[in-house]
Amino acid sequence: MRQGEGEAISTVEQAIDLISVVKEIHGLNSQELNKLLRDSENFTIHFVTEKGLDVKIDVEKLAGFLPLHLIAVLVSSDRDEALLRYLLCGIRILHSLCELAPRHTKLEQILLDDVKVSEQLIDLVFYVLIVLNDYRQDIHDSGPVPVLLSALVACSFYLLTGCISSQWQDLALVMVAHPKVDMFMDVACRAIHLVVRFLQNKLSVQHIEICVKSSSTTESMVNYLCQQCEASLQFLQLLCQQKPFRERLLKNKELCGKGGILFLAQSILKLHAPDFAESSAIVAALSRLKAKVLSILLHLCEAESISYLDEVASSPASLDLAKSVAFEVLELLKTGLSKNPKHLSASSDRTYPMGLLQLNAMRLADIFSDDSNFRSYITVYFTEFLSAIFSLSHGDFLSMWCSADLPVREEDATLYYEVFAAAGWALDSVSSSDLSNTSNLEFTFIPNSNMSQASYVHQRTSLFVKIIANLDCFVPNICEEQERNLFLHKFLGCLLMDPSKLLPSYAFITGPQKASAVQRNLRSLLSHAESLIPTFLNMEDLQLLRVFFDNLQLLMNPSEFEENRVQDDRSLGGCSSPLLRREPPNLNNRNGNLKEEMSENSAFQEEHFYVRNSHMDQADGVTRRDMIDDKDKSITPSGLKEIDRDVQNVETSGSDTSSTKGKNAVDKLAERQRENADVREDEKVETVQTEEKHRRKRKRTIMNDEQVTIMERALLDEPEMQRNTALIQSWADKLSHHGSEVTCSQLRNWLNNRKARLARLSKDARPPPEPDNAFAGKQGGPQQGHSLSAPDSPGQETTPSNTRGTRSMSRMNTSENPVAPEFVDYGAAEFVQCKPGQFIVLVDGRGQEIGKGKVHQVQGKWWGKSLEESGSCVVDVVDLKADRWVKLPYPSESTGTSFEDAEKKLGVMRVMWDSNKIFMLRPQ
């Protein structure tokens, strides 16, 4: 016999021996193997099989040869049930040996330290996942394939934690460094999706099987498939929590750009088990599955380097798929929030953690509603449910959203997956014709979070506020014009609907009292939201909620809620008919009525409402005057003509009188919002790609005043910092020591935005072509030595410095002061009493002109500061000459620390200014 033939025969014999060994000893767990090894000599164990045969096994050789042997079997065997069964036995042995490795030096050197064997173990997992994707044709198989395949996917994943590292951050680094990591991500997601489809099929056909088999047998099988599915998805979730793996996943075009992750999420979110509603284990497992896949989406959406939603929106197909996922998320929220915790009966069975399903769904809804690709979609499909929530009785609303305690809260947990037990159950189940003889498999759950009850409830409420703020927010040049007031109109119209169908377990206020009930609930939410700042909520979201509340009060008419009107609107299919007042409401009496509206058992102190409402009245002063001054004018913004087809259809169904007057009120509201906008169509500035990716999101403050000051000083020495990545990273690290954490990408965005803003201001410096600017003045200037720049001739106009100023001056010139004002030779304003409505010029301490504006308030308190004591007044800046980031003389977290910040927080550039640094203008 030649030498080559002898080696081949030896290899075959060795393979045959390994096959028999795998089949014989896979039932020995790590404790049993450890006992045999302690009693052995030369690492050779003696084992007696079930047939009574005495077998000797060299464990050292077994550990070294088994990974490559399984790969060879995988490549050469047919794709059948026998292959799945054998692979599961082999991986079961490998996992037991990996568990023993830390206690035996020889095993540790082979399985953990030998690079060649470690690579073979990783390749084995990769190849198993690839081969398992060939079993897609067996989706509807009712035999053993779904059970074996589901177990094999999960066991393969967790073999990596045994042979590489049980620390997820270390495992993520190893996987990302692997040259086939993209292939692994792709086949891993496909394999998990396949397992989900097996479970989905089992849930859809179980009602047929339940008639043939016992219900306990079917329940055991479904519960096992749920466990394997959860374990596999959990593996992917824990890897996605690690930044290196997550960033690499975002670059995978198949999974992110073409919607692979979204397909997986959609399949999981559509899992339902109505026939197992009494099984707390299955109900909880499905809830955790959905919570985990939402967690994966959250991690991807919150990544800094790449915008996941932008990747999704890059193709119409993936965008449509993302919207269908968003729809499922909204349906989850509706289902979860419609259940009254007070009415949930306690089960006598064992309770299982449900996962943070509702909280994760609200987090995703917050993200979706803050993106221009999804905002309108969320508005259409979620506004009716939001209106139903605000239609609750005051007691139910307070307990649901304004309380620090809930009868029931979600609990998150990690499934402690045991490979040996999971593989054993699957092998026993397919070997036995009667599953009733197989005991149920139970896994341990490790609590994930120490989140307190109060923290959970406050997060829930803050997300509720953020969603409303996002939907009502309109940012010109970012949002589509048809989105202006879309949420407000939709909300008003949906208030006419019957909310009991959406929230059947709650009590509601109906009839003419519904308008005051909705306002009362909103007022309570506003007051409670103030207490969540800054830990759970920021001032920007609170301001947007306040604006929504104020606009809603302007347009609501209690008489519209009469029962006969509701019936008429129902017959017309009207969900979007705006409930408009025929005359502007008297907002000055809100403080007086507020105390009477509060219930005795309210969870909030009444003085909180008074403080908040006084602030609201201050902020609404110009709004009220504008509404009254413009009462008789016909303003019809073209943008409102395309707001919502539902709105138009129902508006035409009302009487001519109410429709016309209501339309005027809406048009005035839209006109006022246009005047408060800060960007014109012709002021679009091209910026770098990073800024473009994030333009659709609402701007949020990422740095405090100290951090901004530090950067402005640094830019004096490094004006081209945005081109130096290393320098940006260095300054980001330094800034994080002076406030909240600032990442490299956030600082780069800030630098690019700053550069674009300066470019826009430079562009605005050229004179406008129109000769009838509102602030064209005569030659001359004020006394007291202040050097204000005046026009060279009576017909020459001054230059507006920003878009907001241009629009505001145009409005004042046409509607309030048709004659252009001129500078008054009075001197400083401290010698002349300012009055609200007067036009003024602001100067700084050196006498340089800051801008022009109009006096808003001269007496009393403004956001807690006495104007008389500080010698100041409140002005609305309409033509800013200085930079928008210039720090204000009276900075405040509530009213802003710069001109730009004030505009963001209050909707108008309203600031406190020293009276001795104000000069007045008067008409000719």
Side-chain angles (χ1 to χ4, degrees):
M1 184 182 296
R2 287 176 295 182
Q3 183 178 0
E5 293 177 351
E7 291 178 354
I9 293 173
S10 176
T11 302
V12 171
E13 291 175 350
Q14 187 182 59
I16 294 174
D17 289 341
L18 274 175
I19 291 174
S20 60
V21 167
V22 168
K23 291 181 178 179
E24 291 295 340
I25 72 167
H26 73 84
L28 298 176
N29 59 31
S30 58
Q31 291 83 6
E32 292 169 334
L33 282 174
N34 186 48
K35 184 178 183 300
L36 291 174
L37 283 173
R38 285 201 309 265
D39 299 337
S40 68
E41 296 180 1
N42 298 324
F43 229 59
T44 301
I45 62 174
H46 294 265
F47 174 67
V48 179
T49 66
E50 294 180 356
K51 297 180 180 179
L53 298 176
D54 186 11
V55 179
K56 293 181 180 180
I57 301 172
D58 188 334
V59 178
E60 185 176 356
K61 289 184 178 180
L62 175 65
F65 291 134
L66 186 55
L68 193 59
H69 164 73
L70 292 176
I71 293 176
V73 172
L74 191 64
V75 172
S76 60
S77 301
D78 295 330
R79 307 292 188 259
D80 55 13
E81 174 192 335
L83 174 63
L84 297 179
R85 195 186 302 235
Y86 184 74
L87 287 174
L88 192 56
C89 292
I91 289 178
R92 191 185 191 192
I93 295 173
L94 279 175
H95 193 274
S96 296
L97 293 175
C98 287
E99 282 189 339
L100 282 177
R103 287 176 276 179
H104 296 276
T105 306
K106 288 186 178 181
L107 281 179
E108 187 174 23
Q109 290 174 347
I110 296 171
L111 294 173
L112 305 183
D113 297 339
D114 191 325
V115 176
K116 184 178 180 181
V117 175
S118 296
E119 289 178 350
Q120 290 173 357
L121 285 168
I122 296 175
D123 288 341
L124 171 63
V125 174
F126 284 17
Y127 288 135
V128 166
L129 295 176
I130 292 173
V131 170
L132 293 184
N133 278 278
D134 293 338
Y135 285 82
R136 292 187 173 274
Q137 68 273 12
D138 298 312
I139 287 294
H140 302 289
D141 192 329
S142 58
V145 170
V147 177
L148 292 172
L149 190 144
S150 299
L152 195 52
V153 171
C155 291
S156 299
F157 282 144
Y158 286 89
L159 178 60
L160 293 175
T161 64
C163 67
I164 297 178
S165 175
S166 59
Q167 301 299 314
W168 292 97
Q169 59 268 31
D170 297 334
L171 179 60
L173 290 173
V174 172
M175 299 306 295
V176 170
H178 197 280
K180 298 178 182 178
V181 60
D182 290 316
M183 180 201 71
F184 167 75
M185 290 176 174
D186 187 39
V187 296
C189 288
R190 291 175 183 272
I192 296 173
H193 195 191
L194 184 60
V195 173
V196 172
R197 293 180 65 186
F198 278 132
L199 174 60
Q200 193 174 39
N201 180 66
K202 194 68 176 178
L203 292 173
S204 62
V205 302
Q206 65 80 30
H207 64 278
I208 300 176
E209 296 183 354
I210 207 168
C211 300
V212 180
K213 302 179 182 179
S214 66
S215 59
S216 60
T217 300
T218 307
E219 183 177 336
S220 297
M221 181 62 70
V222 172
N223 186 41
Y224 179 79
L225 292 177
C226 286
Q227 291 171 343
Q228 305 314 302
C229 190
E230 180 180 1
S232 299
L233 185 67
Q234 179 178 276
F235 182 86
L236 182 62
Q237 177 205 11
L238 293 173
L239 280 179
C240 285
Q241 289 179 2
Q242 314 307 316
K243 184 177 179 180
F245 189 88
R246 181 172 64 246
E247 298 291 335
R248 187 59 183 263
L249 180 61
L250 284 166
K251 296 177 182 178
N252 189 303
K253 294 298 181 183
E254 283 293 326
L255 297 179
C256 293
K258 296 184 179 180
I261 295 292
L262 292 174
F263 276 117
L264 175 62
Q266 185 185 49
S267 297
I268 292 175
L269 295 177
K270 286 186 175 182
L271 290 174
H272 297 287
D275 294 305
F276 292 107
E278 300 300 322
S279 172
S280 56
I282 293 177
V283 171
L286 293 179
S287 179
R288 289 193 304 274
L289 267 174
K290 296 175 182 180
K292 282 177 169 60
V293 79
L294 293 185
S295 175
I296 292 174
L297 292 177
L298 279 171
H299 285 302
L300 295 178
C301 290
E302 293 170 351
E304 297 172 356
S305 62
I306 300 176
S307 172
Y308 176 64
L309 292 184
D310 286 342
E311 291 293 316
V312 166
S314 61
S315 72
S318 59
L319 181 59
D320 290 341
L321 180 60
K323 288 182 177 179
S324 69
V325 172
F327 177 80
E328 296 296 334
V329 172
L330 297 182
E331 290 300 304
L332 279 177
L333 274 181
K334 292 177 184 178
T335 302
L337 296 177
S338 64
K339 298 175 182 177
N340 193 334
K342 299 177 182 178
H343 298 168
L344 296 179
S345 58
S347 174
S348 58
D349 299 334
R350 172 186 170 183
T351 58
Y352 298 87
M354 304 288 287
L356 299 179
L357 178 59
Q358 192 178 113
L359 203 62
N360 286 347
M362 295 190 73
R363 287 169 178 162
L364 263 182
D366 172 33
I367 292 174
F368 282 135
S369 62
D370 197 24
D371 189 277
S372 62
N373 286 314
F374 299 91
R375 186 178 295 114
S376 297
Y377 188 85
I378 302 297
T379 299
V380 170
Y381 288 101
F382 200 51
T383 304
E384 183 180 357
F385 190 78
L386 290 175
S387 69
I389 289 176
F390 282 102
S391 301
L392 291 171
S393 65
H394 193 55
D396 281 345
F397 185 85
L398 289 179
S399 63
M400 190 177 188
W401 298 109
C402 304
S403 171
D405 187 27
L406 279 177
V408 178
R409 58 160 287 190
E410 297 176 311
E411 294 182 5
D412 196 20
T414 299
L415 176 72
Y416 183 75
Y417 188 71
E418 299 177 59
V419 172
F420 185 85
W425 196 96
L427 293 169
D428 291 343
S429 67
V430 298
S431 301
S432 173
S433 58
D434 187 6
L435 271 180
S436 59
N437 297 327
T438 305
S439 60
N440 287 331
L441 183 63
E442 294 285 350
F443 288 119
T444 304
F445 292 96
I446 304 172
N448 276 348
S449 173
N450 294 324
M451 187 191 309
S452 65
Q453 172 80 357
S455 178
Y456 171 83
V457 174
H458 293 332
Q459 282 192 44
R460 185 171 169 270
T461 301
S462 67
L463 289 168
F464 182 61
V465 172
K466 286 173 182 284
I467 292 171
I468 298 171
N470 292 339
L471 294 177
D472 194 52
C473 178
F474 181 84
V475 182
N477 209 30
I478 296 178
C479 302
E480 298 291 338
E481 181 60 30
Q482 59 265 29
E483 293 182 26
R484 190 189 296 270
N485 296 322
L486 175 62
F487 176 66
L488 180 63
H489 286 295
K490 197 77 175 176
F491 187 90
L492 284 164
C494 289
L495 287 176
L496 291 175
M497 302 295 289
D498 181 11
S500 60
K501 296 179 180 179
L502 297 173
L503 299 168
S505 58
Y506 287 93
F508 297 93
I509 304 298
T510 59
Q513 294 78 28
K514 186 174 182 178
S516 60
V518 171
Q519 294 179 25
R520 187 182 189 187
N521 288 338
L522 258 169
R523 194 177 294 117
S524 297
L525 182 63
L526 268 169
S527 178
H528 183 58
E530 288 180 350
S531 67
L532 303 180
I533 296 175
T535 306
F536 299 98
L537 205 59
N538 58 44
M539 182 59 72
E540 181 187 3
D541 294 310
L542 180 64
Q543 278 298 125
L544 288 168
L545 180 64
R546 182 171 289 133
V547 169
F548 172 71
F549 176 52
D550 294 342
N551 291 340
L552 196 67
Q553 287 190 117
L554 288 171
L555 302 178
M556 289 186 72
N557 185 358
S559 63
E560 299 289 345
F561 293 98
E562 295 176 2
E563 293 299 326
N564 56 348
R565 180 60 179 270
V566 172
Q567 296 298 330
D568 291 341
D569 285 338
R570 284 179 187 166
S571 64
L572 292 170
C575 174
S576 302
S577 174
L579 313 174
L580 305 175
R581 284 187 179 270
R582 288 166 173 77
E583 293 181 5
N586 183 6
L587 301 182
N588 294 323
N589 293 331
R590 280 184 294 171
N591 288 345
N593 297 334
L594 181 60
K595 185 174 180 180
E596 297 176 2
E597 294 178 359
M598 288 301 298
S599 60
E600 294 180 358
N601 60 348
S602 174
F604 310 101
Q605 298 179 359
E606 293 174 350
E607 54 265 27
H608 291 173
F609 290 101
Y610 286 111
V611 172
R612 191 207 61 75
N613 275 273
S614 66
H615 294 171
M616 283 176 53
D617 290 341
Q618 298 290 352
D620 291 339
V622 171
T623 299
R624 293 196 297 271
R625 285 197 298 274
D626 290 347
M627 291 294 290
I628 295 173
D629 291 343
D630 295 342
K631 181 171 58 177
D632 299 324
K633 296 176 184 174
S634 176
I635 304 173
T636 311
S638 59
L640 284 176
K641 295 179 181 179
E642 299 178 355
I643 290 177
D644 187 4
R645 291 194 300 269
D646 293 337
V647 175
Q648 294 172 344
N649 293 338
V650 183
E651 277 182 347
T652 56
S653 65
S655 64
D656 294 339
T657 304
S658 61
S659 176
T660 302
K661 291 183 179 180
K663 188 76 167 65
N664 287 339
V666 178
D667 290 343
K668 292 169 187 173
L669 176 61
E671 181 67 17
R672 189 185 74 227
Q673 292 177 341
R674 279 194 178 84
E675 291 159 1
N676 291 339
D678 62 342
V679 180
R680 286 184 310 205
E681 285 298 323
D682 60 342
E683 288 183 328
K684 296 177 181 178
V685 181
E686 292 186 2
T687 56
V688 297
Q689 183 179 4
T690 305
E691 183 185 4
E692 287 294 331
K693 284 187 176 182
H694 297 278
R695 290 180 65 188
R696 299 196 306 272
K697 282 74 176 175
R698 265 195 302 126
K699 298 178 181 178
R700 299 182 184 274
T701 304
I702 62 171
M703 296 196 299
N704 58 32
D705 294 340
E706 183 182 1
Q707 290 170 321
V708 171
T709 302
I710 291 173
M711 284 309 303
E712 293 295 345
R713 291 173 181 170
L715 288 169
L716 295 177
D717 299 325
E718 298 287 346
E720 298 299 323
M721 184 186 298
Q722 69 267 22
R723 298 181 180 178
N724 191 330
T725 302
L727 193 59
I728 293 176
Q729 183 62 61
S730 174
W731 278 104
D733 295 338
K734 294 177 183 178
L735 291 175
S736 298
H737 297 294
H738 298 274
S740 59
E741 180 183 2
V742 179
T743 64
C744 181
S745 61
Q746 287 175 328
L747 182 55
R748 189 190 303 276
N749 288 341
W750 183 87
L751 291 169
N752 291 327
N753 290 336
R754 177 184 179 275
K755 183 178 180 180
R757 183 173 62 249
L758 294 177
R760 185 170 64 248
L761 293 175
S762 175
K763 177 182 176 181
D764 286 339
R766 64 176 182 269
E770 295 82 9
D772 57 344
N773 206 313
F775 282 101
K778 291 185 176 181
Q779 184 177 2
Q783 296 177 353
Q784 306 296 328
H786 292 294
S787 57
L788 292 177
S789 58
D792 294 331
S793 63
Q796 182 179 352
E797 63 273 330
T798 58
T799 304
S801 65
N802 60 38
T803 309
R804 184 183 299 277
T806 303
R807 282 200 303 272
S808 299
M809 287 188 292
S810 175
R811 179 177 64 85
M812 288 187 294
N813 187 35
T814 56
S815 65
E816 298 182 65
N817 190 22
V819 183
E822 65 173 350
F823 291 123
V824 179
D825 197 14
Y826 283 146
E830 59 181 327
F831 299 106
V832 179
Q833 181 64 42
C834 293
K835 296 181 180 179
Q838 288 181 324
F839 297 101
I840 49 89
V841 176
L842 307 178
V843 299
D844 58 16
R846 296 173 296 176
Q848 298 295 319
E849 182 181 358
I850 297 296
K852 300 180 179 70
K854 185 173 69 170
V855 177
H856 172 66
Q857 182 181 345
V858 296
Q859 295 178 340
K861 289 187 176 183
W862 194 66
W863 289 85
K865 296 180 180 178
S866 173
L867 299 180
E868 291 88 347
E869 293 177 3
S870 60
S872 60
C873 59
V874 182
V875 299
D876 290 339
V877 181
V878 294
D879 182 16
L880 184 65
K881 301 292 186 183
D883 289 328
R884 295 167 64 86
W885 50 262
V886 169
K887 189 174 182 179
L888 297 175
Y890 297 94
S892 167
E893 285 296 322
S894 301
T895 59
T897 57
S898 65
F899 289 102
E900 186 177 37
D901 195 23
E903 189 175 33
K904 288 181 181 178
K905 292 181 181 297
L906 302 177
V908 294
M909 200 177 289
R910 184 168 296 162
V911 299
M912 278 182 66
W913 206 261
D914 291 331
S915 298
N916 59 1
K917 297 175 183 175
I918 292 177
F919 293 87
M920 284 181 290
L921 298 167
R922 70 179 179 187
Q924 291 180 336

